[in-house]
Amino acid sequence: QKEVEQNSGPLSVPEGAIASLNCTYSDRVSQSFFWYRQYSGKSPELIMSIYSNGDKEDGRFTAQLNKASQYVSLLIRDSQPSDSATYLCAVNDNTNAGKSTFGDGTTLTVKP
Amino acid sequence: EAQVTQNPRYLITVTGKKLTVTCSQNMNHEYMSWYRQDPGLGLRQIYYSMNVEVTDKGDVPEGYKVSRKEKRNFPLILESPSPNQTSLYFCASSLSGTGPNIQYFGAGTRLSVL
């Protein structure tokens, strides 16, 4: 089983809809969770980070973390064509400092 | 401007010819890391460095070497490249490798080994 799994894509939503991206992780000691966005041919850039259970909102983006279920998600409200990209979930284990594990990514397409 | 700079951006080489990909950051970050990305896959960590002279293996270290003699630089060395090392490589840095570790990525190096 992969350490970090993301829902297989591609995911397509109409403009204005809510896009839901999911990620599960296998290591219970994981402490820090990140969502990166990567446009085609570009480098990843941070969208959200979350460290404690619950929701964290930043503009149109909401990250949700449930450590009991080992689940982290990213909701994008009012999706725009410019949100079309691959979204990478990353998990850090603070007991193994420095090691960073990424999921395979979910490609999102927002159709006008 | 705060940035992570990788060079070269594109490289075509032949099997067995040693090469180095440079990575430099100007943010005084302690942590630096190298990743490779292959089609349909996420980022796989090759090596990382928590600070000067401190390096450790990631998930896919075979065939690669790194060094961290200065805080700002973290070169990736392929002593004898093989075709299976054809990939897109990213260097990243972070203030610290412990605790929350928000990473800033370079623009990437696309390597082809013939």
Coordinates of all heavy atoms in Angstrom, one line a residue, chain A residues 43-95:
Chain A
S43 N 6.6 24.0 -11.7 CA 6.9 23.4 -10.4 C 5.8 23.5 -9.4 O 4.9 24.4 -9.6 CB 8.2 24.1 -9.8 OG 7.9 25.5 -9.7
P44 N 5.7 22.7 -8.4 CA 4.7 22.7 -7.4 C 4.7 24.0 -6.6 O 5.8 24.5 -6.3 CB 4.9 21.5 -6.6 CG 5.8 20.6 -7.4 CD 6.6 21.5 -8.2
E45 N 3.6 24.5 -6.2 CA 3.5 25.6 -5.3 C 2.5 25.3 -4.2 O 1.4 24.7 -4.5 CB 3.1 26.9 -6.1 CG 1.8 26.8 -6.9 CD 1.4 28.1 -7.6 OE1 2.0 29.1 -7.3 OE2 0.6 28.0 -8.5
L46 N 2.8 25.8 -3.1 CA 1.9 25.5 -1.9 C 0.5 26.2 -2.0 O 0.5 27.4 -2.3 CB 2.6 26.0 -0.6 CG 1.8 25.6 0.6 CD1 1.9 24.1 1.0 CD2 2.3 26.4 1.8
I47 N -0.5 25.4 -1.8 CA -1.9 26.0 -1.7 C -2.3 26.1 -0.3 O -2.8 27.1 0.2 CB -2.9 25.1 -2.5 CG1 -2.5 25.1 -4.0 CG2 -4.3 25.6 -2.3 CD1 -2.6 26.4 -4.6
M48 N -2.2 25.0 0.5 CA -2.7 25.0 1.8 C -1.8 24.1 2.7 O -1.2 23.1 2.2 CB -4.1 24.4 1.9 CG -5.2 25.3 1.3 SD -5.6 26.7 2.3 CE -6.6 25.9 3.6
S49 N -1.7 24.4 3.9 CA -1.0 23.5 4.9 C -2.0 23.3 6.1 O -2.8 24.3 6.4 CB 0.3 24.1 5.4 OG 0.1 25.3 6.0
I50 N -2.0 22.2 6.7 CA -2.9 22.0 7.8 C -2.2 21.0 8.8 O -1.6 20.0 8.4 CB -4.3 21.4 7.4 CG1 -5.3 21.4 8.5 CG2 -4.2 20.1 6.6 CD1 -6.7 21.2 8.1
Y51 N -2.3 21.3 10.1 CA -1.6 20.5 11.1 C -2.5 19.9 12.1 O -2.1 19.0 12.9 CB -0.5 21.4 11.7 CG 0.3 22.2 10.7 CD1 0.3 23.5 10.8 CD2 1.0 21.5 9.7 CE1 1.0 24.3 9.9 CE2 1.7 22.3 8.8 CZ 1.7 23.7 8.9 OH 2.4 24.4 7.9
S52 N -3.7 20.4 12.3 CA -4.6 19.9 13.4 C -5.9 19.5 12.8 O -6.3 20.0 11.7 CB -4.7 20.9 14.5 OG -4.9 22.2 14.1
N53 N -6.6 18.7 13.5 CA -7.9 18.2 13.0 C -8.9 19.4 12.8 O -8.9 20.3 13.5 CB -8.5 17.2 14.0 CG -8.0 15.9 13.9 OD1 -7.6 15.4 12.9 ND2 -7.9 15.2 15.1
G54 N -9.7 19.2 11.8 CA -10.7 20.2 11.5 C -10.5 20.8 10.1 O -9.9 20.3 9.3
D55 N -11.1 22.0 10.0 CA -11.1 22.7 8.7 C -10.2 23.9 8.8 O -10.1 24.6 9.8 CB -12.5 23.2 8.3 CG -13.5 22.0 8.1 OD1 -13.0 20.8 8.1 OD2 -14.6 22.2 7.8
K56 N -9.6 24.2 7.7 CA -8.8 25.5 7.5 C -9.2 26.1 6.2 O -9.1 25.4 5.2 CB -7.3 25.2 7.6 CG -6.4 26.4 7.5 CD -5.0 26.0 7.5 CE -4.1 27.2 7.3 NZ -2.6 26.9 7.3
E57 N -9.6 27.3 6.3 CA -10.1 28.0 5.1 C -9.2 29.1 4.7 O -8.6 29.9 5.5 CB -11.5 28.6 5.3 CG -12.2 29.1 4.1 CD -13.6 29.5 4.4 OE1 -14.3 28.8 5.1 OE2 -14.0 30.6 4.0
D58 N -9.0 29.2 3.4 CA -8.2 30.4 2.8 C -8.8 30.7 1.5 O -8.6 30.1 0.5 CB -6.7 29.9 2.7 CG -5.9 31.1 2.2 OD1 -6.4 32.2 2.0 OD2 -4.6 30.9 2.0
G59 N -9.6 31.8 1.5 CA -10.3 32.2 0.3 C -11.2 31.1 -0.2 O -12.1 30.6 0.5
R60 N -11.0 30.7 -1.5 CA -11.9 29.6 -2.0 C -11.5 28.2 -1.7 O -12.2 27.2 -2.0 CB -11.9 29.8 -3.6 CG -12.5 31.1 -4.1 CD -12.6 31.1 -5.6 NE -11.3 31.0 -6.3 CZ -10.9 30.0 -7.0 NH1 -11.6 28.9 -7.1 NH2 -9.7 30.0 -7.5
F61 N -10.4 28.1 -0.9 CA -9.9 26.8 -0.6 C -10.1 26.4 0.8 O -10.0 27.3 1.7 CB -8.3 26.8 -0.9 CG -7.9 27.0 -2.3 CD1 -7.6 28.3 -2.7 CD2 -7.9 26.0 -3.2 CE1 -7.3 28.5 -4.0 CE2 -7.5 26.2 -4.5 CZ -7.2 27.5 -4.9
T62 N -10.5 25.2 1.1 CA -10.7 24.7 2.4 C -10.0 23.3 2.5 O -10.3 22.4 1.7 CB -12.2 24.5 2.8 OG1 -12.8 25.8 2.7 CG2 -12.3 23.9 4.2
A63 N -9.1 23.2 3.5 CA -8.4 21.9 3.8 C -9.1 21.3 5.0 O -9.5 22.0 5.9 CB -7.0 22.1 4.0
Q64 N -9.3 20.0 4.9 CA -10.0 19.3 6.0 C -9.1 18.2 6.4 O -8.6 17.4 5.6 CB -11.3 18.8 5.6 CG -12.3 19.8 5.2 CD -13.6 19.3 4.6 OE1 -13.6 18.3 3.9 NE2 -14.7 19.8 5.0
L65 N -8.8 18.0 7.8 CA -8.0 17.0 8.3 C -8.7 16.2 9.3 O -9.3 16.7 10.2 CB -6.7 17.6 8.9 CG -5.7 16.6 9.6 CD1 -5.2 15.5 8.6 CD2 -4.6 17.4 10.2
N66 N -8.6 14.8 9.2 CA -9.2 13.9 10.1 C -8.1 12.9 10.4 O -8.0 11.9 9.7 CB -10.5 13.3 9.6 CG -11.1 12.3 10.6 OD1 -10.5 11.7 11.4 ND2 -12.5 12.3 10.6
K67 N -7.4 13.1 11.5 CA -6.3 12.2 11.8 C -6.7 10.8 12.2 O -6.1 9.8 12.0 CB -5.4 12.8 12.9 CG -4.6 14.0 12.5 CD -3.6 14.5 13.5 CE -2.8 15.6 13.0 NZ -1.8 16.0 14.0
A68 N -7.9 10.7 12.8 CA -8.4 9.4 13.2 C -8.7 8.5 12.0 O -8.4 7.3 12.0 CB -9.7 9.5 14.1
S69 N -9.2 9.1 11.0 CA -9.5 8.4 9.7 C -8.3 8.5 8.8 O -8.3 7.9 7.7 CB -10.7 9.0 9.1 OG -11.8 8.9 9.9
Q70 N -7.2 9.2 9.1 CA -6.0 9.3 8.3 C -6.4 9.9 6.9 O -6.1 9.3 5.9 CB -5.3 8.0 8.2 CG -4.7 7.6 9.6 CD -4.1 6.2 9.6 OE1 -4.5 5.3 10.2 NE2 -3.0 6.1 8.8
Y71 N -7.1 11.0 6.9 CA -7.7 11.5 5.7 C -7.5 13.0 5.7 O -7.7 13.7 6.7 CB -9.2 11.1 5.8 CG -10.1 11.7 4.7 CD1 -10.3 11.0 3.6 CD2 -10.7 12.9 4.9 CE1 -11.1 11.5 2.6 CE2 -11.6 13.4 4.0 CZ -11.8 12.7 2.8 OH -12.6 13.2 1.8
V72 N -7.1 13.5 4.6 CA -7.1 15.0 4.4 C -7.6 15.3 3.0 O -7.5 14.6 2.1 CB -5.6 15.5 4.5 CG1 -4.7 14.8 3.5 CG2 -5.5 17.0 4.4
S73 N -8.4 16.4 3.0 CA -9.0 16.7 1.7 C -8.9 18.2 1.4 O -8.5 19.0 2.3 CB -10.5 16.4 1.7 OG -11.2 17.2 2.7
L74 N -9.1 18.6 0.2 CA -9.1 19.9 -0.3 C -10.3 20.2 -1.1 O -10.6 19.5 -2.0 CB -7.8 20.2 -1.2 CG -7.7 21.6 -1.7 CD1 -7.3 22.6 -0.6 CD2 -6.6 21.7 -2.8
L75 N -11.1 21.2 -0.6 CA -12.2 21.7 -1.4 C -11.9 23.0 -2.0 O -11.4 23.9 -1.4 CB -13.4 21.8 -0.4 CG -13.9 20.6 0.4 CD1 -15.0 21.0 1.3 CD2 -14.3 19.5 -0.6
I76 N -12.3 23.1 -3.3 CA -12.2 24.3 -4.0 C -13.6 24.8 -4.4 O -14.3 24.2 -5.2 CB -11.3 24.2 -5.3 CG1 -10.0 23.5 -5.0 CG2 -11.1 25.5 -6.0 CD1 -9.1 23.2 -6.2
R77 N -14.0 25.9 -3.8 CA -15.3 26.5 -4.1 C -15.2 27.4 -5.3 O -14.2 27.9 -5.6 CB -15.8 27.2 -2.9 CG -16.2 26.4 -1.7 CD -16.8 27.2 -0.6 NE -15.8 28.2 -0.1 CZ -14.8 28.0 0.6 NH1 -14.6 26.7 1.1 NH2 -13.9 28.9 1.0
D78 N -16.4 27.5 -6.0 CA -16.5 28.4 -7.1 C -15.3 28.2 -8.1 O -14.5 29.1 -8.4 CB -16.5 29.9 -6.7 CG -16.8 30.8 -7.8 OD1 -17.3 30.4 -8.8 OD2 -16.3 32.0 -7.7
S79 N -15.1 26.9 -8.5 CA -14.0 26.5 -9.3 C -13.9 27.4 -10.6 O -14.9 27.7 -11.2 CB -14.1 25.1 -9.7 OG -14.0 24.2 -8.6
Q80 N -12.7 27.8 -10.9 CA -12.4 28.6 -12.1 C -11.5 27.8 -13.1 O -10.7 26.9 -12.6 CB -11.7 29.9 -11.7 CG -12.4 30.7 -10.7 CD -13.7 31.2 -11.3 OE1 -13.7 31.8 -12.4 NE2 -14.9 31.0 -10.6
P81 N -11.6 28.1 -14.3 CA -10.7 27.4 -15.3 C -9.2 27.5 -14.9 O -8.4 26.6 -15.2 CB -11.0 28.2 -16.6 CG -12.4 28.6 -16.5 CD -12.6 29.0 -15.0
S82 N -8.8 28.6 -14.2 CA -7.4 28.8 -13.8 C -7.1 27.8 -12.7 O -5.9 27.7 -12.3 CB -7.2 30.2 -13.3 OG -8.1 30.5 -12.3
D83 N -8.0 27.1 -12.1 CA -7.8 26.1 -11.1 C -7.4 24.8 -11.7 O -7.0 23.8 -11.0 CB -9.0 25.8 -10.2 CG -9.3 27.1 -9.4 OD1 -8.4 27.8 -8.9 OD2 -10.6 27.3 -9.1
S84 N -7.5 24.7 -13.0 CA -7.1 23.4 -13.8 C -5.6 23.2 -13.6 O -4.8 24.0 -14.0 CB -7.5 23.5 -15.2 OG -8.9 23.7 -15.4
A85 N -5.3 22.1 -12.9 CA -3.9 21.8 -12.6 C -3.9 20.4 -12.0 O -4.9 19.8 -11.7 CB -3.3 22.8 -11.6
T86 N -2.7 19.9 -11.6 CA -2.6 18.7 -10.8 C -2.3 19.1 -9.4 O -1.5 20.0 -9.1 CB -1.4 17.9 -11.3 OG1 -1.7 17.4 -12.7 CG2 -1.2 16.6 -10.4
Y87 N -3.1 18.5 -8.5 CA -3.0 18.8 -7.1 C -2.3 17.6 -6.3 O -2.7 16.5 -6.4 CB -4.4 19.1 -6.5 CG -4.9 20.4 -7.0 CD1 -5.5 20.4 -8.3 CD2 -4.8 21.5 -6.3 CE1 -6.0 21.6 -8.8 CE2 -5.3 22.8 -6.8 CZ -5.9 22.8 -8.0 OH -6.3 24.0 -8.5
L88 N -1.2 18.0 -5.6 CA -0.4 17.0 -5.0 C -0.6 17.1 -3.4 O -0.5 18.2 -2.9 CB 1.1 17.2 -5.3 CG 1.5 17.1 -6.7 CD1 2.9 17.7 -6.9 CD2 1.4 15.7 -7.2
C89 N -0.9 16.0 -2.8 CA -1.0 15.9 -1.4 C 0.4 15.5 -0.8 O 1.0 14.6 -1.4 CB -2.0 14.9 -1.0 SG -2.2 14.4 0.7
A90 N 0.9 16.1 0.2 CA 2.2 15.8 0.8 C 2.0 15.6 2.3 O 1.3 16.4 2.9 CB 3.2 16.9 0.5
V91 N 2.7 14.7 2.8 CA 2.7 14.3 4.2 C 4.1 14.3 4.8 O 5.0 13.7 4.2 CB 2.0 13.0 4.4 CG1 2.0 12.5 5.9 CG2 0.5 13.0 3.9
N92 N 4.2 15.0 6.0 CA 5.5 14.9 6.7 C 5.4 14.2 8.0 O 4.4 14.4 8.7 CB 6.0 16.4 6.9 CG 6.6 17.0 5.7 OD1 6.4 16.5 4.6 ND2 7.2 18.2 5.8
D93 N 6.4 13.4 8.3 CA 6.4 12.7 9.5 C 7.4 13.4 10.4 O 8.6 13.4 10.2 CB 6.9 11.3 9.2 CG 7.2 10.5 10.5 OD1 6.9 11.0 11.6 OD2 7.7 9.4 10.3
N94 N 7.0 14.0 11.5 CA 7.9 14.8 12.3 C 8.8 13.9 13.1 O 9.8 14.5 13.7 CB 7.1 15.7 13.3 CG 6.4 16.9 12.5 OD1 6.6 17.0 11.3 ND2 5.7 17.7 13.2
T95 N 8.5 12.6 13.2 CA 9.5 11.8 13.9 C 10.6 11.3 13.0 O 11.6 10.8 13.4 CB 8.8 10.5 14.4 OG1 8.3 9.7 13.4 CG2 7.7 10.9 15.4

